[in-house]
Amino acid sequence: MHSSYFTKPRNQLEAVEAKDIAISVDKVSMVFNVANQRLTNLKEYFISLIKHELLFKEFIALEDISFEVEKGDVFGILGVNGSGKSTLLKIIAGVLEPTKGTIRTKGRISPLIELGAGFDFELTARENIYLNGSLLGYPKKYIDEHLDEIITFSEMEDFLEMPLKNYSSGMVARVAFAIATVMVPDILIVDEVLSVGDFVFKQKCEHRIRELIEDHGTTVLIVSHSDNQIEELCNKALWIDHGQMKMVGNARDVCRAYRLLGGGEVDQEVETTLLDTLSTSGDQQVANSAQTISIKDRYEMATELERLTFLKEDINHVVIASGSQFDTRIMATAFAHARNAPLILVSPTGLNGHVITYLCEMKPSSITIINRKETGTQISFDIESQISSYIDCDITILEEESFEELSRSLYHHGQTLNIWGGTALTGCPTNCISLLSAFPFFSDKKPFVYLHDKEARSFQHSKNETIPFEKFDIISFEELDANVSNEEQTDDALSYQACKDNYRVIEALSADSNSPSIIFASSRNLSHAISALQFACSRNGLIMLYDPIDPKYKAEAVRVLNRWDISNPKLVFLGAESDFCSIDKELLTKAARS
């Protein structure tokens, strides 16, 4: 893997003669022969063998794997499903013989490779303790002496005489772990055992592993899908991808790269862009200077952002819309921004508690409710009565059947209030995702009107008496795939389209504006981005979408940030840990301020 970022950890792993090596893996490869046809019995097998029709194809599970584990190391192995992690552990434990290469181990090995390996599920837990212990090389006398210790650690006292077939996977794991660690091994091999069982027992297992390491110098080899667990428990780690070594080094650095690159196959250019950005000067603490707003749902997020945007004493009017209607929220945002009013989202079925609290605190003199009649997403309860039971104010309800009718109604209502300034924006429902990027244009309080696709294409030549089209700006957006309906769009496709349009528009904006703020929102959670539109406008900021899953889009975000000429911008991250983990924040912060 290319990156100066990982040079130091690799050098630290170079073997020297003075080191006490517990495990040495030298150029190990494992190839399985997989039959090209399905044979259901021995007769079919021999017939195919005689006819020379028994064909196999090679499956390379591991290829040229080399590393060393020192005595006392806690060594983690990362990789996606099917990458060869468990196969490697079986080779180290002596369960499998490698096709090529050599394995050298020093000391007694206690393997926990597969739950139930060495157990007879027809026997009781007590009987399996003796059976599995003997397979691990424990004499019966030793098991007799430590039986109470095993039972106490596994916490299976009440189920000891129950057949193992009635145990849950977590209960089996308890018994297996207790047996494997009752005798202090030189090498403990753990394959996903800590991924089952309850939280308390996981902590107990981790404490036992630390005890083996700190008090007895046991070397531990752990396979886990949890990079957080590997980073917490291990001092070194190996990342395997499709049977090949991707990276080996300090556990923290390997886990950070694994999170950043998604744990899968990544284009070399993308990999280089991301890792080189991460390796720039500064450390993870640089992201702490950015503001993070993390609220559990879209309703609370919208309310919190409006609290940050408006002062209580400045609020005379509030706009309310359904939190389940993407398009309505965009129209309502334009209207609310023109009125200098907060936009509050409500559930289609009733007022949320924090919305009631907000209204009671702000006590607006008037409220506009914007609602598009669409089954399942419209405001379907008597919202006027509910609001009136809490505060006394004038309530106006604007309600229409379609996107187009509702946007026109809002436009004309705004005209009567004389709130619109400048020209208007237009778009059609098929490309509404793209409009997220255009909202900095609303800083001069422009209205927004929906059109059908055909109307949008011939917009400049249209004549309509109800709306002065000649006063409108045309903002052109690439539409979603015309052959795929919105319902059929995958999360990946929608995320890609949103990011693509977002980057194109904000690059055009940044050419004329030195925005002091960048508001990052996940392209997998566009609801937060919509809620931040007024928040962005109030800070003369740009909303930048970021895909927390696909490395390709992460790299594109970095490239866009690198092309911006913005001096020390203020950064805001919207969303939970699943939207922006610490490594994402560090990456984007370094890219924005480089």
Side-chain angles (χ1 to χ4, degrees), residues 3 18 59 71 125 131 177 286 303 411 457 463 467 505 511 541 564:
S3 179
F59 172 71
K71 178 177 172 56
L131 173 63
F177 192 91
V286 74
T303 304
Y411 175 76
R457 286 193 288 270
K463 297 293 182 182
I467 297 180
V505 173
W564 285 6

Side-chain angles (χ1 to χ4, degrees), residues 176 202 323 327 400 458 482 493 560:
K202 287 180 185 178
D327 312 85
E400 301 291 349
S458 60
V560 172

Side-chain angles (χ1 to χ4, degrees), residues 45 78 95 125 159 218 253 262 271 278 285 304 338 354 367 385 408 414 471 487 517 531 538 585:
Y45 173 82
L78 286 167
V95 177
F159 309 97
T218 298
D253 293 333
E271 184 178 291
L278 201 63
Q285 291 182 349
E304 179 62 21
H354 56 84
I367 292 177
S385 296
R408 282 163 171 75
K471 294 184 179 180
E487 289 76 16
S517 299
S531 296
S538 69
K585 293 178 182 179

